[in-house]
């Protein structure tokens, strides 16, 4: 992420936050459920800048749990703009993006930031980096679709996401069971549709 002078990127879940207290985190993007209490662990981190966004991790509206909206992804992009705008004021940095488990919202947010800050970067290479960074990544498809539209990627980001799903399903059967239990069969279908029979 050289365009924003952030040399280290981390994705994690809430339970993993204590392990990053002494890792020189300079910037945090927290993506939390609207009703969840704010984690207190950040009081034990080194001084850092933190932004909190709140929305649910679903792909279809459910009673009391609406799916992420375009405005939610616009907020992620606004955060990215602040990072880009402040790059002249720093030489380096460590960005930590987290959600509840570090699987879906946080990985989608990191992909969005990478695609924003590196507009000429190939979409598949972004997903390769995400898998290296977070092997359990299963980005929220609704968020990626909005990012694709807002960044003018013309469907390429969504197509790369579907290929990512296929790779993850091939790597570990756990993903199909897990996402089916979470009522995200549509995303499983995107990946399975690309797998060789």
């Amino acid at each position: 992420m050289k365009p924003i002078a952030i040399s280290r990127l981390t994705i994690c879940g809430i339970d993993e936050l204590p392990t990053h207290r002494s890792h020189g985190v300079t910037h945090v993007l927290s993506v939390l459920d609207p009703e969840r209490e704010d984690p207190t662990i950040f009081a034990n981190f080194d001084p850092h800048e933190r932004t909190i966004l709140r929305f649910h991790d679903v792909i279809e509206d459910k009673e009391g749990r609406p799916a992420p909206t375009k405005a939610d992804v616009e907020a992620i992009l606004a955060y990215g703009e602040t990072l880009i705008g402040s790059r002249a004021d720093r030489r380096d940095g460590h960005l930590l993006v987290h959600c509840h488990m570090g699987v879906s919202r946080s990985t989608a947010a990191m992909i969005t930031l990478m695609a924003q800050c590196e507009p000429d970067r190939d979409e598949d290479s972004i997903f390769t980096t995400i898998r290296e960074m977070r092997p359990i990544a299963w980005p929220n498809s609704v968020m990626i679709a909005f990012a694709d539209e807002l960044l003018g990627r013309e469907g390429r980001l969504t197509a790369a996401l579907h290929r990512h799903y296929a790779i993850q399903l091939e790597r570990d059967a756990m993903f199909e069971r897990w996402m089916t239990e979470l009522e995200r069969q549509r995303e499983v279908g995107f990946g399975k549709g690309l797998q060789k029979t």
Side-chain angles (χ1 to χ4, degrees):
M1 295 264 284
K2 290 181 181 178
I4 56 173
I6 297 284
S7 62
R8 186 171 180 186
L9 304 175
T10 299
I11 299 169
C12 73
I14 290 174
D15 289 347
E16 300 163 88
L17 288 172
T19 66
H20 297 289
R21 283 179 299 194
S22 59
H23 291 177
V25 172
T26 58
H27 298 77
V28 176
L29 177 60
S30 295
V31 184
L32 301 169
D33 292 342
E35 66 281 357
R36 186 174 184 93
E37 290 186 11
D38 194 31
T40 60
I41 187 65
F42 290 107
N44 299 323
F45 274 54
D46 292 333
H48 61 278
E49 297 177 15
R50 182 167 175 241
T51 296
I52 304 169
L53 302 178
R54 291 185 176 272
F55 53 86
H56 293 287
D57 184 27
V58 293
I59 62 170
E60 295 175 346
D61 290 345
K62 300 182 183 302
E63 188 174 343
R65 299 179 69 215
T69 65
K70 182 185 284 189
D72 293 321
V73 178
E74 287 173 338
I76 294 168
L77 292 171
Y79 177 74
E81 286 297 327
T82 66
L83 293 178
I84 293 168
S86 64
R87 65 185 172 193
D89 299 329
R90 64 176 180 275
R91 297 181 56 194
D92 208 347
H94 179 182
L95 170 64
L96 183 148
V97 179
H98 82 89
C99 58
H100 183 70
M101 296 185 68
V103 173
S104 184
R105 287 170 292 182
S106 55
T107 58
M110 187 69 85
I111 288 163
T112 299
L113 293 170
M114 292 171 70
Q116 175 188 30
C117 296
E118 301 180 77
D120 297 324
R121 185 173 178 184
D122 173 76
E123 292 79 11
D124 285 309
S125 76
I126 293 174
F127 282 91
T128 297
T129 297
I130 288 296
R131 284 191 298 276
E132 292 169 352
M133 192 184 314
R134 193 68 173 167
I136 60 172
W138 189 275
N140 184 294
S141 60
V142 174
M143 293 173 64
I144 295 298
F146 283 131
D148 196 327
E149 174 189 349
L150 290 165
L151 293 170
R153 291 273 180 157
E154 299 181 336
R156 297 187 304 275
L157 205 59
T158 296
L161 172 68
H162 294 181
R163 290 189 289 273
H164 168 81
Y165 287 155
I167 290 168
Q168 295 296 69
L169 290 167
E170 181 90 15
R171 287 172 63 181
D172 194 334
M174 173 258 323
F175 282 108
E176 182 171 1
R177 295 192 304 272
W178 191 10
M179 293 303 138
T180 299
E181 289 171 2
L182 293 174
E183 300 181 22
R184 292 172 70 162
Q185 297 94 323
R186 187 173 70 199
E187 293 173 337
V188 173
F190 291 150
K192 289 177 78 70
L194 294 175
Q195 288 184 314
K196 296 176 182 177
T197 56

